């Protein structure tokens, strides 16, 4: 607390007051952390280090050289290509069947709901009680609710 009394706050920064003695230095023990090992992909030469000594770039290869290094897929035989193509066509055909099936189900459900709606409207019309009015003077006296 005594130390804080000798400090003066000026423009957001704490500075010692004029004529006050500087605070006593605080004893500190500095321990250096062990350096981190440089981590990169095994078998790939490293091209550069950043400030903190961690690998940040790896060697790049030209496209033709990658074939010899085994980074691209190995060439396939004609039979393998044909088998893959046939499997892909079968998968696409099955996908098309499933989509068609789902569309048919949706269409059938829509038709059923339309039929139910039409049947409901017909039944409502059948159940309506109708009274024949022969005297037209009564129509003029009736309110809109009675006419509806």
């Amino acid at each position: 607390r005594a130390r804080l009394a000798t400090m003066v706050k000026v423009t957001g920064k704490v500075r010692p007051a004029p004529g006050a003695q500087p605070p006593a230095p605080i004893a500190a023990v500095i321990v250096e952390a062990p350096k981190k090992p440089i981590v990169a992909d095994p078998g790939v030469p490293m091209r550069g280090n950043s400030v903190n000594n961690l690998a940040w770039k790896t060697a790049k290869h030209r496209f033709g050289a990658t074939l010899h290094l085994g980074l691209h897929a190995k060439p396939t035989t004609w039979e393998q290509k044909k088998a893959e193509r046939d499997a892909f066509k079968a998968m696409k055909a099955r996908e098309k069947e499933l989509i068609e099936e789902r569309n048919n189900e949706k269409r059938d459900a829509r038709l059923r709901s339309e039929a139910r709606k039409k049947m409901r409207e017909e039944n409502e019309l059948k159940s309506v009680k109708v009274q024949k009015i022969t005297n037209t003077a009564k129509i003029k006296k009736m309110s809109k609710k009675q006419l509806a």
Side-chain angles (χ1 to χ4, degrees):
R1 293 184 183 196
R3 189 170 164 192
L4 289 176
T6 60
M7 306 293 253
V8 176
K9 190 170 184 177
V10 180
T11 65
K13 295 180 183 177
V14 177
R15 296 190 180 161
Q21 291 185 359
I26 300 171
V29 178
I30 300 173
V31 178
E32 285 192 28
K35 289 192 175 183
K36 294 178 184 176
I38 297 172
V39 180
D41 292 335
V44 179
M46 191 174 56
R47 271 186 49 197
N49 289 343
S50 61
V51 175
N52 62 357
N53 225 12
L54 294 176
W56 61 282
K57 281 188 179 179
T58 55
K60 303 286 189 284
H61 302 285
R62 290 189 177 271
F63 183 77
T66 57
L67 293 173
H68 303 296
L69 295 171
L71 299 177
H72 286 285
K74 301 285 188 255
T76 55
T77 63
W78 172 251
E79 289 80 16
Q80 288 173 335
K81 286 183 183 179
K82 192 171 183 182
E84 287 176 7
R85 196 174 296 128
D86 292 341
F88 184 76
K89 283 183 182 178
M91 184 263 304
K92 282 294 186 182
R94 177 69 178 139
E95 183 181 356
K96 200 175 275 188
E97 288 174 13
L98 291 173
I99 290 172
E100 187 67 30
E101 202 174 296
R102 191 176 67 206
N103 289 342
N104 289 340
E105 288 174 4
K106 284 184 178 180
R107 187 192 56 215
D108 293 342
R110 189 180 69 243
L111 291 175
R112 283 194 305 270
S113 73
E114 287 174 0
R116 274 198 313 269
K117 188 175 180 182
K118 186 177 179 183
M119 184 69 73
R120 189 183 308 124
E121 289 174 357
E122 288 175 1
N123 289 339
E124 285 177 4
L125 287 176
K126 286 180 188 176
S127 67
V128 171
K129 292 183 179 179
V130 181
Q131 185 178 1
K132 189 183 276 187
I133 301 173
T134 54
N135 189 0
T136 56
K138 285 185 180 180
I139 295 175
K140 292 178 182 175
K141 292 179 184 178
M142 292 173 124
S143 65
K144 289 182 180 179
K145 287 183 180 177
Q146 290 173 329
L147 287 172

